[in-house]
Structure formats: structure tokens, C-alpha cells
Amino acid sequence: TKIMAVAVRVDGKSKVYSNSFNFNKATMKKVDLKSEPHRSYTFDGAVILVNGKRGGDAFGNGQWLGIYDKDFVATVDLNEPTEISKVTLGTFHGANSWIFGATGYTVSVSEDVKSFKQVYTEKYPELTKDSQKGTPFDMVATFDVQKGRYLKIVANNTNKIPAWHDGKGSPSFM
């Protein structure tokens, strides 16, 4: 959905405001974060993950969470058993800002939030020296239709910044 608005006044119009929202089965559902965001990149908290907005091209725009020195682990409560066959998690790559994205992505489903069945896993290579421009990147998990109330999403952080980077050996952001 794309929303556009303009304020019309006697003396003229404002600039056009435009914003897009992507609705899906997880939109505005409860999210339990096991990995708290870094204090500088918390913004509106876990709701950012399911608010229907895309993160965009700037990691500090208030639409990204920043996880530092740990894996991203979140559980989404879909409120009722729901058929699922695709889960997309947006990430950001920006080596110049010590943001190295994910090296792995796992999706699991559960009916009771206690026992999860892994339905997807993928590994990603670490960023290279040529990957320094800041860019959004979608990790897309597609799998046979599964039914579950809870989705557990894990994105593995780059353990240490690679040797080619000025911050080599330090923890990274995701």
C-alpha cells in the first residue's frame, strides 16, 4: 500500500508526503527479541520488524535495529496457527560503518513456542573488501508450506571483523 498526502491551504499546498507499507501475515504481530538491540540503534524496538515499512538505504533512519556482537534471535507470535512458506528478513551491509550483515539465516516454526521445527537454513559468506557501500539486503527463506503459530528467526552475526578491515578482530554490527 502506498499512501500519499498533501496539506491544502488557502495560500498553497505542502510538499507531497509519500510512504509505502508492505502487509503480510506478521504485520503488527508481537515479537519477542532474545537479542537486545544496541542502545544507539533501538529506535521503536521490536515493532520495527513487523511494522510494514522497509528499512531503506540509511541504517540510522529509525527503521533498522542494530544488533552488536551477538546473533539476532526473534520469535514472532502470529496469534493463531498460520500457513507459512516464505519469510523475508531485511538486513543492511555497510562495512565502512562496521555493519557486516548475517553469515547465516534459520527459520523454525512451532505450535506451542516450546518445540520448534527448523524449516530453513542458509549460510552467507562474510563481506569482502569490495562490499563496503551501505546497502539493504533481503534474506529470503522459501520452503514447503508449514503450519505454525510461532516463527523463530535467527540471523548469525559475523563473529569478528575480518583482517582486511581497520576494525579487524572487533565485534561487528548486524
Side-chain angles (χ1 to χ4, degrees):
T1 300
K2 185 172 187 174
I3 296 173
M4 298 176 73
V6 64
V8 180
R9 300 179 185 97
V10 174
D11 59 345
K13 297 180 194 177
S14 70
K15 291 181 182 178
V16 175
Y17 167 81
S18 177
N19 206 336
S20 295
F21 297 87
N22 301 295
F23 294 94
N24 59 63
K25 295 175 182 180
T27 302
M28 299 312 292
K29 298 297 194 280
K30 183 179 184 283
V31 179
D32 177 38
L33 286 176
K34 297 291 182 207
S35 33
E36 287 299 315
H38 185 274
R39 68 185 174 280
S40 299
Y41 302 103
T42 300
F43 302 108
D44 288 337
V47 72
I48 286 174
L49 301 170
V50 292
N51 68 1
K53 296 180 189 176
R54 298 294 302 180
D57 293 334
F59 65 85
N61 68 1
Q63 289 301 316
W64 293 101
L65 295 180
I67 305 298
Y68 181 70
D69 195 25
K70 56 190 162 200
D71 293 339
F72 168 84
V73 181
T75 303
V76 181
D77 182 350
L78 299 172
N79 294 337
E80 62 187 6
T82 303
E83 289 188 347
I84 308 156
S85 61
K86 181 178 179 181
V87 177
T88 302
L89 180 65
T91 65
F92 191 91
H93 296 163
N96 287 341
S97 300
W98 295 31
I99 305 169
F100 280 79
T103 58
Y105 179 40
T106 304
V107 176
S108 303
V109 297
S110 172
E111 293 287 341
D112 61 7
V113 86
K114 295 175 186 170
S115 174
F116 281 89
K117 174 186 174 188
Q118 184 174 307
V119 295
Y120 181 87
T121 189
E122 185 168 353
K123 299 289 181 199
Y124 297 100
E126 286 186 359
L127 292 187
T128 65
K129 192 173 187 175
D130 298 327
S131 308
Q132 294 187 23
K133 184 180 176 198
T135 56
F137 173 76
D138 282 345
M139 297 187 300
V140 181
T142 54
F143 44 89
D144 292 337
V145 175
Q146 303 291 319
K147 196 167 190 175
R149 175 177 170 173
Y150 301 93
L151 276 176
K152 182 186 248 180
I153 301 164
V154 177
N156 304 109
N157 199 357
T158 300
N159 288 329
K160 298 291 177 195
I161 293 177
W164 57 263
H165 192 275
D166 289 341
K168 63 183 171 196
S170 298
S172 68
F173 281 95
M174 175 173 52

